[in-house]
Amino acid sequence: MDKFSFEMPWAFAIFAIFILCAIKCKPKTDSFYFPHLNRFGGSVYSRNLFLQILKWLGIASVCVAFASPTIVRTLAPDYKDGRDIVIVLDASESMRQVGFDLSNQFQNRFAIAIETISHFVANRKADRLGLVTFGDFAFVASPLTFDKDFFETILQMQEIGIAGRRTALYDAILQSYGMLEKSEAKSKVMIVLTDGVDNMSAIRLDEILSVVAKSDITPYIIGIGYKGEYDANVLAKIANASNGMAFEASDALALTQIYNAIDKKETSQLENSVVVQKTYLYIYPLFLGMMCLLFFIYLKEGRG
């Protein structure tokens, strides 16, 4: 929000001093008698009025400059503990299964995952968010961004089979780690959601565990669906390799609770302080005042 103000309003008292002097302190000059001066009365009066306007406009402008006119802009608070979070989303063919939501048996797992992630993202006020989607291969659907509207648009554009029918889970994790390793955020988080077993990655499990163990990224691994559809032991190994957590969700309600738990665990605190930006405008009235006074002196003294 922009606000106009004067930093030193007391400077306007200088203008009052000039007015007081103009009333009380009459200049002492020699008197000359010119016969028939009335013939020049009109031009003398208009010239004198113009000089008076120049003089007082110049004085007023300089006084305004001394008062230091300023535009104050209050910016949004900076975040102290914002995170970089990469969402890793399974878009393989198995995500087409229905019955995951007990209140809506016809909604498939992928649609429920999109809805749950969308609610989670809405609560992240000070974080950058990125999205990696995987199937036969993994790709960066959204780079890390503060723009939640952009992220939401990209999220809603994801479809089952967009990256193929099978599951390249390890490649997706490696892709997300590649994004986060370049980040300078104090806290880096990866949230993986899958309903299957890796059957398409070019990288092996032991290699992924080595990458996770050497990183400062916190992994949250979520397996959804029925027992045996995903390998809970593998998900736990990946999570435990870097002090993360593994979860199992058998229905939509459990998935929502898991995301709520992650949201509370990875809370971002906002600073109370705000950033104030000032733009000083004194140069404009000062320039006007100096030009008026210089022109006044030139007309009064230079041309008699």
Side-chain angles (χ1 to χ4, degrees):
M1 181 179 179
D2 294 349
K3 182 180 179 182
F4 179 81
S5 64
F6 291 96
E7 281 197 334
M8 295 180 289
W10 53 264
F12 288 111
I14 300 174
F15 188 70
I17 294 174
F18 274 98
I19 295 176
L20 184 63
C21 285
I23 296 173
K24 298 294 184 180
C25 308
K26 298 294 183 181
K28 293 182 179 180
T29 57
D30 295 333
S31 297
F32 297 93
Y33 174 74
F34 291 95
H36 311 296
L37 186 62
N38 60 316
R39 297 180 181 180
F40 306 97
S43 61
V44 170
Y45 176 78
S46 61
R47 177 181 174 83
N48 186 58
L49 177 62
F50 181 63
L51 288 175
Q52 290 298 314
I53 291 174
L54 282 178
K55 181 180 75 173
W56 288 108
L57 180 59
I59 293 172
S61 298
V62 171
C63 290
V64 170
F66 278 130
S68 187
T70 307
I71 294 177
V72 180
R73 175 173 296 174
T74 303
L75 303 177
D78 290 336
Y79 68 88
K80 180 174 65 177
D81 196 24
R83 288 159 166 75
D84 277 355
I85 301 175
V86 173
I87 306 293
V88 184
L89 177 63
D90 189 341
S92 62
E93 189 64 28
S94 58
M95 291 289 286
R96 200 181 297 277
Q97 288 196 40
V98 297
F100 188 65
D101 187 350
L102 301 178
S103 62
N104 186 353
Q105 294 286 339
F106 297 102
Q107 192 174 28
N108 62 45
R109 294 174 181 177
F110 190 79
I112 296 168
I114 293 290
E115 184 178 334
T116 306
I117 293 170
S118 182
H119 290 158
F120 173 80
V121 167
N123 294 327
R124 311 309 301 181
K125 303 300 182 183
D127 302 325
R128 289 200 306 171
L129 292 152
L131 178 65
V132 171
T133 303
F134 69 95
D136 289 349
F137 60 91
F139 69 94
V140 177
S142 170
L144 288 165
T145 178
F146 285 111
D147 191 337
K148 302 302 185 295
D149 292 335
F150 169 78
F151 183 89
E152 179 67 23
T153 300
I154 297 298
L155 179 64
Q156 297 300 328
M157 290 172 62
Q158 303 310 298
E159 298 177 355
I160 297 172
I162 193 172
R165 298 168 60 88
R166 290 178 286 185
T167 306
L169 173 61
Y170 305 154
D171 286 353
I173 293 175
L174 185 64
Q175 187 84 267
S176 66
Y177 268 66
M179 293 173 62
L180 289 169
E181 283 295 337
K182 300 174 185 177
S183 166
E184 297 181 358
K186 294 180 180 179
S187 180
K188 309 171 190 179
V189 176
M190 176 188 67
I191 305 175
V192 181
L193 185 146
T194 183
D195 72 339
V197 177
D198 187 285
N199 54 18
M200 200 61 190
S201 290
I203 190 171
R204 301 191 309 270
L205 175 60
D206 59 331
E207 294 174 315
I208 277 295
L209 292 177
S210 177
V211 170
V212 173
K214 294 176 182 177
S215 175
D216 59 349
I217 299 168
T218 303
Y220 294 100
I221 317 295
I222 307 171
I224 67 172
Y226 304 113
K227 292 285 186 179
E229 289 186 299
Y230 55 89
D231 193 329
N233 291 328
V234 168
L235 301 186
K237 284 181 180 180
I238 297 172
N240 295 334
S242 182
N243 197 32
M245 296 180 69
F247 303 91
E248 298 182 56
S250 58
D251 56 44
L253 179 59
L255 182 61
T256 300
Q257 292 172 344
I258 289 169
Y259 269 96
N260 289 340
I262 296 173
D263 186 52
K264 291 178 181 178
K265 187 174 178 60
E266 298 292 340
T267 301
S268 295
Q269 299 174 348
L270 295 178
E271 290 182 346
N272 292 323
S273 60
V274 296
V275 178
V276 177
Q277 184 182 66
K278 292 184 178 181
T279 302
Y280 293 95
L281 307 175
Y282 67 89
I283 189 65
Y284 302 107
L286 181 61
F287 176 78
L288 175 63
M290 296 301 295
M291 292 302 296
C292 286
L293 292 176
L294 286 173
F295 199 35
F296 167 77
I297 294 172
Y298 172 74
L299 291 178
K300 186 173 185 297
E301 304 295 336
R303 296 187 177 183

